[in-house]
C-alpha cells in the first residue's frame, strides 16, 4: 500500500467519502474476495450509514469459489446484497446495474410519482487501496478514465462517468483504510499483495501463510512442493520447501528470505490455486 495513514489522513479521507456519499443513490463497497473482512474499512457501516449498498467481492477469479458463495450468504444474512465479480475481465459486472435498479426501485418510483424525470442511478465505488477500484471504474466505463494513483487529500471537481444509460459513477472512488492495527489483518493483506512487503517482515508473512495453507489447503501444499507429509513444525516445512527449490546459501543453510519470496510469489500468482483466507464461520459469532 502506498498510502501512509495517519489520524489526520484518516479523518480527511472519511470527510471526503462522507461528502461524496451525499451526492449518490447507492454505494458499491469493493472488497477482496480472498479476504472479505480484512479488506474492509472498520468503520464502514457508520460511514455509509443510511445509503443502500452492494458489497462487491472483487478478484473472485483468484478466490475459492466455495467460500465466495458462503460470503455472499453471510452478507445476505446481514441484509447486505453481495455479488462476486472480476473487474479485470468484467465477469459479473452486468448484475451490478440490475441489482442497483432493484434496490432503488421504490425510491425512483416515489420520485416519478412526484413528477421527477427519470434519471440514471448515481453510485460511488468505495474501498481500501489495491482492492481494484480503478480497474472496476475503467471496466464499467469501457475506457481509461481514472488515474491509477491513490491520492487521498487531493481534491478535484466531482465528475461523473457514464455506464450505459442507467448508471453514473463518481470518477474518483472513495478510498478508506483497512483495520491495520490488527496484525492478522496486516498479514492477510500482505499475503494477498494488497500491502507492500516492506511494511511487514517477509518471513513472518510466510510463516502465517504456511500455517494457513497447512491448516486449510494441505493437499495443495503437498502437490505444489512435492511433499509426502507436511511436517508438524512450520520451520521444518520452510526447510523442506527451501531445499526442494534450491534456496540454499553457502555452507548449505536454507536461505529463508529467498524461500519466503518464492512462496509468497507463488501464492499471489495462484500457483497454489484459488485461495480464500477468511471463512465466514469465523465471523458469525462475533458481531462484525
Ligand atoms: P485500487 O487501488 O483500488 O484502484 O486498485 P487497482 O484498480 O489499481 O487494482 C489493484 C491491482 O489489482 C491491479 O494490479 C489490478 O490489475 C488488480 N485487479 C483489480 N481487479 C481485479 C480482479 O477482479 N481480478 C484480478 N485477478 N486482479 C484484479
Amino acid at each position: 500500500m502506498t498510502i501512509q495513514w495517519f489520524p489526520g489522513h484518516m479523518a480527511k479521507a472519511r470527510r471526503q467519502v462522507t461528502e461524496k456519499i451525499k451526492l449518490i443513490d447507492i454505494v458499491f463497497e469493493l472488497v477482496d474476495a480472498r479476504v472479505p473482512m480484512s479488506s474492509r474499512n472498520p468503520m464502514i457501516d457508520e460511514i455509509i450509514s443510511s445509503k443502500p449498498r452492494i458489497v462487491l467481492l472483487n478478484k473472485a477469479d483468484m478466490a475459492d469459489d466455495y467460500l465466495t458463495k458462503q460470503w455472499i450468504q453471510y452478507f445476505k444474512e446481514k441484509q447486505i446484497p453481495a455479488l462476486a465479480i472480476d473487474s479485470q475481465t468484467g465477469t459479473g459486472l452486468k448484475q451490478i446495474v440490475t441489482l442497483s435498479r432493484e434496490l432503488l426501485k421504490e425510491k425512483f418510483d416515489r420520485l416519478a410519482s412526484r413528477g421527477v424525470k427519470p434519471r440514471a442511478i448515481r453510485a460511488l465505488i468505495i474501498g481500501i487501496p489495491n482492492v481494484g477500484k480503478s480497474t472496476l471504474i475503467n471496466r464499467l466505463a469501457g475506457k481509461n478514465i481514472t488515474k491509477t494513483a491513490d491520492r487521498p487529500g487531493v481534491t478535484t471537481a466531482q465528475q461523473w462517468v457514464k455506464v450505459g444509460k442507467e448508471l453514473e459513477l463518481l470518477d474518483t472512488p472513495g478510498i478508506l483504510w483497512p483495520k491495520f492495527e490488527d496484525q492478522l489483518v496486516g498479514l492477510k493483506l500482505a499475503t494477498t499483495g494488497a500491502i507492500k512487503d516492506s511494511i511487514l517482515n517477509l518471513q513472518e508473512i510466510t510463516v502465517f501463510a504456511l500455517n494457513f495453507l497447512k491448516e486449510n489447503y494441505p493437499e495443495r501444499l503437498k502437490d505444489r512442493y512435492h511433499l509426502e507429509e507436511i511436517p508438524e513444525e512450520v520451520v521444518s516445512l520452510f526447510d523442506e520447501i527451501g531445499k526442494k527449490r534450491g534456496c540454499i546459501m553457502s555452507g548449505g543453510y536454507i536461505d529463508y528470505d529467498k524461500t519466503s519470496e518464492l512462496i509468497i510469489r507463488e501464492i499471489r500468482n495462484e500457483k497454489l490455486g484459488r485461495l480464500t483466507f477468511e471463512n465466514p464461520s469465523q465471523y458469525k459469532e462475533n458481531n462484525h
Side-chain angles (χ1 to χ4, degrees):
M1 188 161 22
T2 47
I3 305 168
Q4 294 288 322
W5 294 101
F6 300 112
H9 289 145
M10 289 189 187
K12 191 163 186 178
R14 182 176 176 160
R15 216 161 39 236
Q16 285 178 339
V17 168
T18 308
E19 282 306 305
K20 286 177 186 205
I21 283 178
K22 289 184 189 153
L23 307 171
I24 50 109
D25 302 303
I26 188 163
V27 175
F28 300 150
E29 185 197 350
L30 208 53
V31 302
D32 187 322
R34 298 167 297 171
V35 280
M37 279 295 141
S38 293
S39 59
R40 298 184 94 193
N41 176 276
M43 291 187 246
I44 194 72
D45 293 339
E46 206 185 304
I47 293 171
I48 296 179
S49 64
S50 58
K51 289 282 171 173
R53 162 180 21 166
I54 301 176
V55 166
L56 299 174
L57 295 150
N58 193 40
K59 309 195 187 185
D61 55 303
M62 301 177 88
D64 185 321
D65 257 338
Y66 172 77
L67 285 170
T68 299
K69 290 194 182 89
Q70 305 266 311
W71 276 110
I72 290 175
Q73 190 57 31
Y74 169 90
F75 285 112
K76 200 172 160 191
E77 281 164 21
K78 296 197 170 297
Q79 319 295 331
I80 303 172
L83 297 171
I85 62 166
D86 168 0
S87 297
Q88 242 173 12
T89 61
T91 307
L93 301 197
K94 279 209 182 106
Q95 306 167 74
I96 300 176
V97 180
T98 318
L99 185 56
S100 303
R101 268 268 159 247
E102 257 172 55
L103 293 173
L104 291 165
K105 188 173 181 316
E106 240 174 74
K107 175 178 176 176
F108 278 71
D109 283 351
R110 209 166 46 236
L111 288 173
S113 72
R114 287 203 240 124
V116 179
K117 264 207 314 206
R119 61 164 173 83
I121 292 171
R122 294 187 187 133
L124 170 69
I125 290 174
I126 162 173
I128 68 165
N130 278 314
V131 76
K133 298 180 295 301
S134 309
T135 311
L136 177 60
I137 295 175
N138 290 336
R139 252 291 149 182
L140 284 171
K143 56 185 164 36
N144 248 22
I145 32 83
T146 42
K147 302 123 243 142
T148 37
D150 288 310
R151 286 195 290 160
V154 179
T155 30
T156 47
Q158 302 295 347
Q159 295 213 321
W160 298 94
V161 172
K162 281 201 176 305
V163 183
K165 286 200 186 88
E166 300 204 70
L167 183 67
E168 280 175 5
L169 290 174
L170 273 177
D171 75 334
T172 48
I175 304 165
L176 290 168
W177 60 96
K179 192 180 175 183
F180 49 173
E181 63 276 14
D182 178 335
Q183 206 211 0
L184 195 55
V185 167
L187 288 168
K188 288 179 195 168
L189 291 176
T191 305
T192 53
I195 58 176
K196 269 201 183 151
D197 302 336
S198 56
I199 299 174
L200 287 159
N201 176 298
L202 189 62
Q203 288 185 26
E204 213 177 313
I205 301 167
T206 314
V207 167
F208 159 76
L210 285 178
N211 275 321
F212 170 81
L213 290 168
K214 198 164 150 246
E215 196 121 313
N216 298 279
Y217 297 95
E219 292 309 316
R220 307 238 196 127
L221 198 54
K222 277 192 201 165
D223 282 355
R224 179 69 198 166
Y225 299 110
H226 308 294
L227 309 168
E228 300 248 314
E229 284 306 322
I230 300 177
E232 198 61 33
E233 295 287 324
V234 78
V235 184
S236 315
L237 179 56
F238 231 123
D239 281 351
E240 214 169 307
I241 296 174
K243 228 182 290 169
K244 286 236 154 89
R245 289 307 188 83
C247 304
I248 312 283
M249 296 190 291
S250 60
Y253 298 107
I254 302 291
D255 186 336
Y256 288 114
D257 280 338
K258 209 167 159 194
T259 312
S260 300
E261 269 168 40
L262 178 131
I263 294 169
I264 296 299
R265 192 174 57 240
E266 296 204 336
I267 290 173
R268 290 182 189 166
N269 293 341
E270 293 178 78
K271 294 285 191 270
L272 285 108
R274 295 165 63 174
L275 301 170
T276 295
F277 294 86
E278 290 172 339
N279 189 318
S281 63
Q282 298 162 325
Y283 294 86
K284 276 186 179 145
E285 309 85 59
N286 318 335
N287 198 19
H288 279 270

